[in-house]
Amino acid sequence: MQRHGARRIGSQIEMGVKRSHPFCSATSLPWHHELSKDHQIFRHLLEACKLSSDIRTATETHTRIIRFGYGTHPSLVASLISAYAHCDRLNLAYKVVDQVFNWTVNLVALNKTLHSFIKSRDSELARKVFDKMPDRDVVTWNSMIGGYVDNGRFEEALRLFTMMLTSNVVPDKFTFASVMPGCAKLGSLPLAQWLHQLMIDMRIEVNYILVAAMIDMYSKCGGIEAAKSIFERVQRDDVSIWNSMINGLAIHGFALDAIAVFSKMDFEDITPDAITFLGVLSACSHSGLVKEGQHYFDLMKSRYSIEPQHEHYGSFVDLLGRAGLLEEAYAVITSMPIEPDVIVWRAYLSACRTHKNPEMGEVAIAHISRLRSGDYVLLSNTYCSQQQWDNAQRVREMMKKHGVSKKKGISWFEWGGRFHRFKSGDRSHPETEPIYKVLGGLIERAKAEGFVPKRELVMMDVSEEEKEENLCYHSEKLALAFGILKTGPGTEVRISKNLRICDDCHNWFSLVSRMLNRVILVRDRIRFHRFEGGLCSCGDYW
C-alpha cells in the first residue's frame, strides 16, 4: 500500500509542476526561484520512498528532480541519497554523493547538504560527505559533532572534536555547547575537566547556554562539587542555569539541596518553568519526600500557573509509587485532566515491580500500546517476585513471538583514554583472567564478611547454585573488578551502567567499599550511588 501510494504521488508531481510552470525544463534555470516551494513535494515523495523501500519510485523521482532543475538543491540531494540508502542501494547513494562534489565545492551548499543528513539522522551518509569535503569551516565541524551527539554516538563525537583541534579550524562556543552533552552522556570526569580547561585556554565567550551545559556535564560526570562551584560563581540570570543545578543535585540524591536552590530562585527574582518543577519532583522522588513532592506539584499550578504535563504526572506517580503508595498513584492517574500516556503508565509499572504487585502491573501493561523490552521484563519480573513462574514464562513467550529481546546490561570503566565495557558474564576483555581473579577474591572475602547473595532477584526457575552464579558476574561487578585491578589503594573508582543497579550488586558494593576502604561511585540509568565505608549516598532508597 505504501509503495503504490508513493508511485501515485510521483505520477501527480510532474503534471502538477508542469501546470504551474509551463515553460520549465532542466536547462531553464530562471524559474528555479518560483519553484522554491514545489521542491518540498519531491522531498515528501522521497520520504515516502524511504518508508516503503520503493527503489523504482526513488529512481523515477531522481529523474524528475533533474528534469525540473533541482539536481543541485542541497536538501533534495540529501533526501535522494538517504532514500537510496534506505532502499539498500548504497552504491547509488555513494554515486550521488560523488556527483555532489562534481557540481559544487561551495562550502555553504555542502554544509546545507550535511545538515540535511544530520537532521534526518543519517550519520553514515553525513560522514561520507564530511570526509570528502575539500574544505571545512566551524559550521561543518559543529554540524557533525552535534549530529553524532544527537544520534547517541558520543565517543565518535569526542574523537571528531579532537580531530578538529588538530585542524586549522578553531572551535567556538557552539562547538563546546555541542560536545559537552556528549561528555555528560559518557560520564567521564577527566574529559569534563579537559573540556572546561580548553574553554578557559581558548578564551571562549561564556553565555548562559554554556554555563548550563557545564553544570549539567559536571553533574552527570560525578563532579557535583565542581558543578556547585560554577553555579555559585556565575551570573545566574537565566532559568536554564538553575534547572541544570537542580537536576544535578537530584541525580546525586541531594533532595534538600535541590529544594534549597529552588527556594533561592525567589530571592533572585528568577521564575521557575516546567523543567524546574520536573527537577524538584525528581529530587523528591529519589529521596522519598512524598509530602514535599505533593507540595511542589500543587505549587506549579496554584502559584505559577504551570499546567502539569505528562512528564510531571509521570514524575509524581513515580514519587508515590516508589514510596509504596500504589493506590494513591493509581488515583492520580485516573483523575488526570489529560489522557495518561506511556510515561505515566511506565512509572506505575515500575512501582508495581518494586512492590511486587502483578495485578496492578497488568493494569499498567494494558494501557501501553507499544510495548518495549523493558515493559515485558518489568511485568515478567513482577510475576517472578511472587513465584508465578507460569505467568512469567507466558510473558517471555510473548516477547519471543513479537521478536522483542531483553536489553542487555552494560557497565563501563574509563581507563587509559578509552572506555572498557562489560556485559554480564563477559569474557571478551583482553584481561579477562586477572579480572575474574580479582572478582573471585572479592566474592570470597565478602562471603567471609557475612554477605549473602539475594538469590530471589534471579527471575528464573533454576537451582540456587545457578542463581548465585548468575549474580556473581553482573556487568557492574566485572567493571568494578577491572577498576580495582587498574587503580591503587585508596583511589576512587567510577563506574557507569546503562540500566538500574540491582539490589544484590548494591549491597555487595556497599560491603566492598568498607572492605577495601574505597569510594565507589556508580552512575546507573536513574542516579548516582556513592558507596563509602559500607554505606550508600542513596540511603538504600532508589
Side-chain angles (χ1 to χ4, degrees):
M1 182 67 72
Q2 285 180 320
R3 180 169 299 183
H4 292 311
R7 290 177 183 171
R8 197 161 45 242
I9 296 170
S11 65
Q12 295 170 357
I13 288 178
E14 188 168 351
M15 292 176 60
V17 174
K18 283 183 176 178
R19 279 198 297 269
S20 301
H21 308 280
F23 302 108
C24 69
S25 70
T27 57
S28 56
L29 297 181
W31 51 265
H32 185 275
H33 179 69
E34 287 184 76
L35 286 175
S36 60
K37 293 182 179 178
D38 291 324
H39 83 271
Q40 295 293 339
I41 302 173
F42 288 114
R43 189 175 65 80
H44 291 313
L45 179 57
L46 289 170
E47 288 299 312
C49 292
K50 285 170 60 176
L51 291 174
S52 60
S53 297
D54 187 351
I55 184 61
R56 178 180 169 184
T57 306
T59 54
E60 290 173 354
T61 305
H62 189 177
T63 302
R64 291 188 181 102
I65 287 171
I66 295 173
R67 184 183 304 155
F68 295 129
Y70 284 123
T72 60
H73 194 288
S75 65
L76 268 186
V77 170
S79 294
L80 177 62
I81 296 169
S82 182
Y84 279 146
H86 280 77
C87 291
D88 201 24
R89 295 293 193 277
L90 286 177
N91 59 325
L92 294 178
Y94 292 152
K95 186 175 181 180
V96 178
V97 170
D98 291 335
Q99 289 173 354
V100 169
F101 291 93
N102 291 332
W103 56 255
T104 185
V105 289
N106 181 282
L107 194 54
V108 174
L110 291 175
N111 279 341
K112 286 181 178 179
T113 304
L114 189 69
H115 179 71
S116 296
F117 285 130
I118 296 298
K119 194 174 180 180
S120 60
R121 297 186 176 275
D122 286 317
S123 299
E124 296 300 332
L125 292 171
R127 186 58 187 260
K128 183 79 174 178
V129 172
F130 177 84
D131 288 340
K132 290 178 69 69
M133 290 174 71
D135 294 300
R136 305 177 185 120
D137 61 7
V138 69
V139 175
T140 315
W141 288 94
N142 290 352
S143 294
M144 277 304 303
I145 292 169
Y148 274 150
V149 172
D150 291 342
N151 285 289
R153 301 170 68 164
F154 310 120
E155 289 182 70
E156 289 173 83
L158 267 295
R159 280 196 290 269
L160 203 62
F161 177 72
T162 56
M163 282 176 57
M164 184 182 185
L165 295 177
T166 61
S167 72
N168 59 350
V169 179
V170 179
D172 61 10
K173 58 186 177 183
F174 299 105
T175 316
F176 283 95
S178 293
V179 78
M180 283 194 289
C183 178
K185 289 291 187 179
L186 288 170
S188 171
L189 186 58
L191 273 176
Q193 293 166 334
W194 175 64
L195 287 173
H196 189 186
Q197 189 59 50
L198 270 179
M199 287 180 59
I200 295 171
D201 295 342
M202 293 181 173
R203 299 183 179 180
I204 299 294
E205 180 186 359
V206 177
N207 55 19
Y208 73 90
I209 296 173
L210 284 178
V211 170
M214 272 196 292
I215 292 172
D216 180 69
M217 176 180 68
Y218 269 119
S219 298
K220 290 178 179 175
C221 291
I224 190 63
E225 293 303 322
K228 290 196 290 187
S229 176
I230 292 170
F231 178 77
E232 292 298 334
R233 295 198 317 265
V234 299
Q235 184 177 350
R236 303 185 294 265
D237 54 359
D238 191 90
V239 68
S240 63
I241 297 173
W242 295 82
N243 291 346
S244 288
M245 191 69 258
I246 289 171
N247 278 292
L249 292 166
I251 62 174
H252 281 269
F254 300 138
L256 297 180
D257 290 346
I259 291 172
V261 170
F262 177 85
S263 301
K264 200 172 182 179
M265 294 178 75
D266 204 24
F267 291 102
E268 299 198 19
D269 200 27
I270 302 294
T271 303
D273 61 12
I275 298 174
T276 315
F277 282 99
L278 268 180
V280 174
L281 287 171
S282 175
C284 293
S285 180
H286 287 316
S287 299
L289 303 180
V290 176
K291 290 183 179 179
E292 292 83 353
Q294 177 76 66
H295 167 72
Y296 290 110
F297 186 79
D298 295 337
L299 194 68
M300 286 177 62
K301 190 172 181 180
S302 63
R303 180 175 176 182
Y304 296 100
S305 300
I306 298 174
E307 289 292 336
Q309 298 303 306
H310 289 108
E311 293 82 2
H312 300 99
Y313 280 105
S315 189
F316 189 44
V317 167
D318 183 64
L319 166 70
L320 296 172
R322 284 178 190 273
L325 304 174
L326 295 181
E327 291 184 8
E328 289 84 347
Y330 186 70
V332 169
I333 296 173
T334 55
S335 63
M336 285 173 58
I338 54 179
E339 187 70 22
D341 71 349
V342 67
I343 295 173
V344 177
W345 285 114
R346 281 200 175 114
Y348 191 67
L349 177 60
S350 180
C352 293
R353 157 66 185 92
T354 300
H355 296 286
K356 304 177 181 179
N357 191 321
E359 291 78 18
M360 294 309 295
E362 290 172 354
V363 173
I365 279 284
H367 286 86
I368 301 176
S369 57
R370 293 186 178 181
L371 295 173
R372 298 190 310 198
S373 63
D375 304 321
Y376 287 107
V377 171
L378 281 172
L379 183 60
S380 175
N381 290 353
T382 306
Y383 285 134
C384 291
S385 68
Q386 296 296 302
Q387 297 186 344
Q388 296 181 17
W389 306 116
D390 290 342
N391 286 335
Q393 180 61 30
R394 178 171 54 84
V395 174
R396 286 194 286 270
E397 289 173 357
M398 286 173 58
M399 292 178 68
K400 186 176 181 179
K401 178 181 177 181
H402 295 291
V404 178
S405 57
K406 181 180 178 182
K407 187 175 182 180
K408 299 292 184 182
I410 300 174
S411 299
W412 59 94
F413 175 78
E414 184 182 5
W415 177 257
R418 58 184 287 254
F419 295 92
H420 298 258
R421 290 179 168 80
F422 300 88
K423 297 178 183 178
S424 182
D426 199 350
R427 288 188 173 272
S428 62
H429 195 278
E431 298 184 67
T432 288
E433 292 306 318
I435 290 171
Y436 272 77
K437 185 175 181 180
V438 170
L439 180 56
L442 290 172
I443 290 171
E444 291 305 315
R445 187 172 169 185
K447 285 182 179 179
E449 293 275 346
F451 179 77
V452 179
K454 302 193 72 170
R455 300 185 184 93
E456 68 273 14
L457 295 176
V458 179
M459 304 305 175
M460 295 180 289
D461 190 12
V462 295
S463 69
E464 295 301 304
E465 292 78 11
E466 288 177 291
K467 288 183 178 182
E468 185 169 333
E469 179 80 8
N470 178 282
L471 291 169
C472 284
Y473 304 113
H474 277 188
S475 63
E476 54 266 57
K477 288 178 179 172
L478 290 169
L480 177 61
F482 181 72
I484 291 171
L485 177 68
K486 291 298 180 182
T487 58
T491 306
E492 182 173 298
V493 181
R494 297 170 178 268
I495 296 167
S496 294
K497 184 176 180 178
N498 66 330
L499 302 177
R500 182 182 184 271
I501 187 173
C502 76
D503 289 356
D504 183 78
C505 287
H506 191 275
N507 294 345
W508 189 77
F509 273 47
S510 295
L511 180 57
V512 171
S513 72
R514 179 173 62 80
M515 290 190 316
L516 301 183
N517 193 25
R518 291 253 202 151
V519 172
I520 305 169
L521 193 68
V522 178
R523 185 185 77 165
D524 71 7
R525 183 181 62 82
I526 298 172
R527 57 164 297 155
F528 276 92
H529 299 265
R530 181 183 175 86
F531 300 95
E532 185 174 13
L535 300 174
C536 180
S537 59
C538 74
D540 298 334
Y541 186 96
W542 80 99

